[in-house]
Amino acid sequence: MTDTSSRTARPPGGRPAHGPEARASSAHGPEARASSAPGPEVHSPPAYGPEVHSPPAYGPEVYAPQADTHLLAEALHASPPPPGSDVLDLCTGSGALALIAAAYGARVTAVDLSDQAVAAARHNSARARLPVRVMRGDLFEPVARCRFDLILCNPPYVPARSAKLPSGGRSVAWDAGPEGRAVLDRVCEGAPRLLKPGGALLLVHSALSGTVPTLTQLRRRGLVTEVVRRREVPFGPVLRSRAAWLESRGLIGPGETMEGLVIIRAERPR
C-alpha cells in the first residue's frame, strides 16, 4: 500500500516456487497499483461495508483500491469486527478497509506514511460519515502504546531492483526492496506486540514476496497462522515491466504472467 518503511530479506528457501501453488493468491501489486491511474474509477469494487456503498476517493499519489484490497475486504466481511472492538488499518491508503471496519461499529485507527493518503482517508471518512482516527506515521510508531483486537495491513510488497525505498511518488505504495519484504518483515515483527489476547492480524501480500517466511516469522512470535484466501491475477504494468528481472532471479518462470495473492490470518492466543 501507500505506507513505506524499512524492510528485511526473507529467510533462504522461504519463497514459494513459481507456479500456481507459489502464487497462492494474487491480485495486486505494482501492476495493480500501477494500473490505478488518477481518477474516480475503481475496478470491480466490493461493497465497502454494511453502510458504505461507494468506493473511496483517492488522488494521484494515493494507492487506489485494487484486487489485493478487495481480497482483504472479503476476508474482513467473512469475519467482521464486533461493535466497539479496536481495529488498526496499517498502510491505509485511501482508507477503504478502515471504512469497512468502522461501518461494523469498530473503533478504527488508520495509519499511513503518506501525507496524501492521510488526507484522502480523512476525506473519505468524513464523506462516509464514519468515525476513523487517521494518523500519519511510520507503521506502528503512532500507535506503539495501543493494543488492538484486529490489525489490517496491505503493505508495499513488490520486489524492486533497489534496496532503497522510494521517499515519494506512487511507487511508495508498492516497491519493497529486492525481496519484496522490506515492510513485510517489520509488520511481522511489530504486529504481535500490538495485538490483544485473542486479537488477529489480517495481512495481504504477493506470493512473490514469500508466503512461508511470513508464516514462519509470525509463528515464531507466538501467533497461530493460516492462509485464509488465495487469488491469482494477471500481471499489471509494473510487474510486466519487471518480468525479465524477476525471471532472472527465479521469482517467476519463463513467460509467466499471473501473480498470486494471499491473505494470512495470524491470531494471538488468549
Side-chain angles (χ1 to χ4, degrees):
M1 289 210 68
T2 31
D3 191 88
T4 56
S5 335
S6 86
R7 308 119 203 242
T8 318
R10 85 178 62 132
R15 180 187 305 118
H18 46 70
E21 180 177 353
R23 38 202 91 275
S25 111
S26 89
H28 110 299
E31 42 174 343
R33 316 194 175 209
S35 62
S36 42
E41 182 179 4
V42 175
H43 300 290
S44 304
Y48 276 92
E51 301 174 13
V52 185
H53 304 294
S54 61
Y58 54 89
E61 297 296 316
V62 180
Y63 178 57
Q66 297 289 331
D68 53 349
T69 315
H70 302 166
L71 191 63
L72 193 49
E74 288 178 14
L76 181 56
H77 283 305
S79 183
S85 57
D86 293 305
V87 175
L88 172 63
D89 181 20
L90 199 62
C91 308
T92 191
S94 66
L97 296 166
L99 293 181
I100 296 176
Y104 279 110
R107 293 188 296 261
V108 183
T109 299
V111 175
D112 205 290
L113 187 58
S114 161
D115 289 323
Q116 294 88 345
V118 167
R122 286 174 177 165
H123 168 79
N124 289 322
S125 171
R127 186 181 70 158
R129 298 183 180 180
L130 290 169
V132 175
R133 180 177 64 159
V134 184
M135 307 176 73
R136 183 191 178 279
D138 182 14
L139 291 182
F140 302 105
E141 286 181 359
V143 293
R145 296 183 179 181
C146 303
R147 297 296 179 266
F148 298 93
D149 299 291
L150 176 64
I151 297 175
L152 306 167
C153 188
N154 181 3
Y157 54 67
V158 175
R161 288 179 175 85
S162 175
K164 183 178 180 180
L165 298 179
S167 59
R170 294 173 64 207
S171 62
V172 160
W174 56 77
D175 277 358
E179 302 298 322
R181 297 201 59 89
V183 177
L184 276 170
D185 286 338
R186 291 185 61 202
V187 171
C188 291
E189 178 183 0
R193 294 195 297 266
L194 269 65
L195 287 174
K196 297 179 184 180
L201 166 70
L202 277 178
L203 172 67
V204 61
H205 68 79
S206 172
L208 293 175
S209 307
T211 304
V212 171
T214 300
L215 294 170
T216 300
Q217 289 186 40
L218 292 170
R219 286 169 182 163
R220 285 174 178 168
R221 290 173 172 83
L223 303 189
V224 178
T225 65
E226 63 175 326
V227 176
V228 294
R229 267 175 171 70
R230 301 177 183 268
R231 185 159 300 162
E232 291 200 353
V233 295
F235 283 179
V238 175
L239 283 187
R240 286 200 299 269
S241 72
R242 298 179 187 180
W245 176 74
L246 292 168
E247 184 178 334
S248 72
R249 298 193 62 229
L251 290 172
I252 64 173
E256 201 166 338
T257 60
M258 298 291 288
E259 177 197 15
L261 293 180
V262 295
I263 301 289
I264 292 171
R265 179 181 175 89
E267 185 171 333
R268 181 179 175 184
R270 294 185 182 278

